[in-house]
Amino acid sequence: MPRILIVGGGYAGFYTAWKLEKQLRKGEAEVTIVDPLPYMTYQPFLPEVAAGSIEPRHAVVSHRRHLKKTTILAAKVTNINHADKQVTIEPIAGEPYQLDYDIIVVTAGAVSRTFPIPGIADNAIGLKTIEEAAAIHQRVLTNFDKASMLPAGPERDRLLTFTVVGGGFAGIEIFAELRSLASALIPKYPTISFEDTHFHLIEAMGRIMPEVSLETSYWVIKNLDQRGAQIHLDTQLASAVDGKIELSTGESFESDLIVWTAGVMANPTIVRNTDLPIEERGRLKVRADLRVGTEDEWIEGAWGAGDVSAVPDLSGGGVGGYCVPNAQHAVRQGKLLAKNLVAVLRGEGPKEYKHKNLGAVAGLGIGIGVFQSGKLAIKGFPAWIAHRGYHGLAMPSWERKLRVVGGWVANFFLGRDIAAIEALQHPRAVFEEFAARPKPPAAAAPIEAPAPAAAPAKKAPVKRKPAAAKAAPAAPAGEAAEPAAEPTASVEPAPAK
């Protein structure tokens, strides 16, 4: 059987494997997926996870639960040698090894793209993984707890100042969701007022959310301003050393939470370690039919999709002629890639990726959203319903749909969960603090030198009657014979062991 190797288990990789399981005949091909994570993350839900509106586990899809016919390797691919059709596998446990394949599907996704701004690498956090979203949620809740115990001052202001860098969809959504979370927390903390919280979004361009119209973006800015969140346009972040934000406008303030959403880049582990062609922006060169190559020729047995690939946008709406890196494209490309693989295996030709833009929808906190499709723009509560409806349906598998929607329903009646579990970052801290430990072995006591022998006390003279036999003459009265003094030995103590 042909061996199909899928590198990456995100949107495109998961959907490719999922659809191949349904479309391949028994014995037609052997499918293996490689990813160090055991799940696919539904990234549009990350802002709601950070805001506590969705349980973190509900925003991920287990590979092993839903890919029942696919071999799953918990590992990273660190090199692709397509000339020999071989990859280097680095498992999460064990030694690296080589794995052969016949067909490779590169869907390794993207990571946060940062710039060498002082302090960002040490103090900021991204929004590409479920772990990052959960950590942001915990940080906000913990900061409120800490601030509630402090008097007004710089340290309290720092804890209650939250900064987002990047005004794209991801940046605006996390910014608005955190503002919504903070507003919901304030009534629970009598010592913290609305004016004590500060929210700043920094965007280098002159507008936000390029996927929507300019008028809609202005409405979003006005809405967030009314909710106490400030957006800095045409502003660059100059420094974030030790959490002190310095802007190109000369403004500065301290912030305990800095979320970076200013761009993504193709997974560098893959694109820097392969003999497959890479385009000038560091992405895999992919044709419209998702085969690796150019319009004139393709590389046999190599396919690509998702954020790691530069897929031509035949609709004409892409950036630079290519599809933008988002979930909508990755899901659709994964589905088509599975169909094309099956078609090629059966001697048929692949189809090109063509899509119709359904529009853009964003959630801006509980009850607020925006939707843009062409010239049609919907704002406020109806757009928020559209946002949840679309993503609720787009979540793969009915099992995950029910978990997400069930959580939304529970939150509607019970409110969002605001319990901070900071110890998740250091789960053994309390156990270690109070755990009994064996006492260290006692050191051997040093041997002490014995005290010098005391000289015998002088005895009073004893009067004796003269004996019949000849005796020595007695000592004169008032004198006593002193015994000879005995020498004393000097003993040095042995060194302590």
Side-chain angles (χ1 to χ4, degrees):
M1 289 188 295
R3 297 163 296 181
I4 302 174
L5 178 66
I6 302 174
V7 181
Y11 294 115
F14 174 83
Y15 271 92
T16 299
W18 203 29
K19 296 302 179 181
L20 282 175
E21 288 192 349
K22 299 177 182 180
Q23 297 172 25
L24 286 171
R25 302 187 186 110
K26 186 176 181 181
E28 194 169 13
E30 177 185 295
V31 182
T32 299
I33 190 169
V34 183
D35 197 296
L37 298 175
Y39 51 76
M40 181 212 87
T41 303
Y42 192 75
Q43 293 186 9
F45 281 157
L46 293 183
E48 289 203 57
V49 170
S53 297
I54 294 179
E55 178 69 22
R57 290 182 184 274
H58 296 172
V60 299
V61 182
S62 170
H63 290 157
R64 297 186 185 276
R65 177 163 187 164
H66 297 283
L67 300 178
K68 300 178 182 178
K69 301 177 184 178
T70 302
T71 300
I72 298 170
L73 301 181
K76 293 191 299 183
V77 171
T78 57
N79 183 271
I80 299 174
N81 180 3
H82 192 66
D84 297 331
K85 291 195 173 180
Q86 193 176 73
V87 297
T88 302
I89 300 290
E90 186 177 302
I92 61 175
E95 297 297 322
Y97 61 92
Q98 304 299 313
L99 181 67
D100 297 325
Y101 65 85
D102 298 305
I103 300 171
I104 192 166
V105 178
V106 183
T107 56
V111 299
S112 296
R113 181 192 63 180
T114 59
F115 306 107
I117 299 172
I120 284 296
D122 300 322
N123 299 289
I125 185 171
L127 191 67
K128 291 292 292 178
T129 68
I130 196 69
E131 293 83 1
E132 288 173 325
I136 291 170
H137 180 61
Q138 293 297 329
R139 176 70 69 86
V140 174
L141 297 180
T142 302
N143 281 12
F144 266 77
D145 285 334
K146 292 178 178 178
S148 68
M149 303 303 295
L150 294 174
E155 182 58 27
R156 194 171 188 265
D157 288 342
R158 176 191 175 94
L159 290 170
L160 297 176
T161 300
F162 308 97
T163 305
V164 175
V165 184
F169 250 67
I172 290 296
E173 284 192 297
I174 184 65
F175 187 60
E177 289 286 357
L178 291 183
R179 175 67 268 184
S180 176
L181 171 61
S183 297
L185 290 175
I186 289 171
K188 312 296 183 184
Y189 293 86
T191 59
I192 299 177
S193 67
F194 182 87
E195 291 72 20
D196 292 332
T197 59
H198 311 284
F199 284 80
H200 298 270
L201 184 137
I202 303 165
E203 171 53 48
M205 305 298 290
R207 62 162 298 177
I208 61 170
M209 305 174 74
E211 297 87 349
V212 304
S213 68
L214 194 59
E215 180 184 356
T216 301
S217 71
Y218 287 155
W219 182 89
V220 173
I221 293 174
K222 181 179 179 181
N223 177 269
L224 289 170
D225 182 67
Q226 292 172 345
R227 293 160 58 187
Q230 185 178 359
I231 295 178
H232 305 262
L233 296 178
D234 293 314
T235 304
Q236 295 181 349
L237 177 63
S239 175
V241 175
D242 296 329
K244 183 177 181 180
I245 303 296
E246 295 182 6
L247 305 180
S248 58
T249 58
E251 297 176 75
S252 67
F253 51 88
E254 293 200 7
S255 177
D256 191 68
L257 175 63
I258 305 169
V259 182
W260 181 273
T261 64
V264 297
M265 65 180 180
N267 191 327
T269 303
I270 298 300
V271 298
R272 296 174 186 173
N273 298 283
T274 181
D275 58 354
L276 295 172
I278 305 298
E279 50 98 57
E280 58 274 8
R281 294 191 63 185
R283 295 174 296 179
L284 191 68
K285 278 187 178 180
V286 175
R287 294 157 44 97
D289 59 10
L290 304 180
R291 288 185 286 193
V292 176
T294 63
E295 292 184 6
D296 302 325
E297 58 181 353
W298 69 87
I299 297 177
E300 190 68 33
W303 302 74
D307 295 355
V308 75
S309 303
V311 180
D313 190 339
L314 300 182
S315 70
V319 177
Y322 296 99
C323 296
V324 297
N326 62 25
Q328 190 177 134
H329 283 304
V331 170
R332 292 175 174 183
Q333 290 168 10
K335 293 178 180 179
L336 177 64
L337 205 159
K339 291 180 180 179
N340 284 350
L341 277 171
V342 173
V344 170
L345 287 173
R346 296 173 183 172
E348 303 170 6
K351 295 182 179 180
E352 293 185 331
Y353 176 67
K354 297 179 181 178
H355 73 282
K356 181 180 180 181
N357 191 353
L358 299 177
V361 62
L364 304 177
I366 300 297
I368 307 172
V370 291
F371 171 78
Q372 184 86 43
S373 180
K375 295 183 179 180
L376 174 64
I378 303 175
K379 311 175 187 73
F381 185 75
W384 178 73
I385 293 295
H387 168 263
R388 285 204 161 178
Y390 172 79
H391 287 297
L393 292 174
M395 186 70 176
S397 85
W398 282 104
E399 177 253 341
R400 284 301 167 191
K401 286 179 172 63
L402 292 175
R403 291 184 187 275
V404 169
V405 174
W408 284 338
V409 173
N411 286 351
F412 178 79
F413 291 101
L414 305 176
R416 71 179 103 200
D417 197 334
I418 60 170
I421 313 178
E422 186 183 15
L424 280 176
Q425 309 300 322
H426 307 284
R428 296 187 66 250
V430 175
F431 180 83
E432 289 180 352
E433 181 181 357
F434 298 104
R437 292 175 170 82
K439 295 181 179 180
I447 301 175
E448 297 182 358
K458 293 182 180 181
K459 294 182 179 180
V462 179
K463 294 181 179 180
R464 297 177 182 273
K465 294 180 179 180
K470 185 177 179 181
E479 294 184 7
E482 294 183 3
E486 297 180 359
T488 59
S490 175
V491 180
E492 294 185 358
K497 293 183 180 180

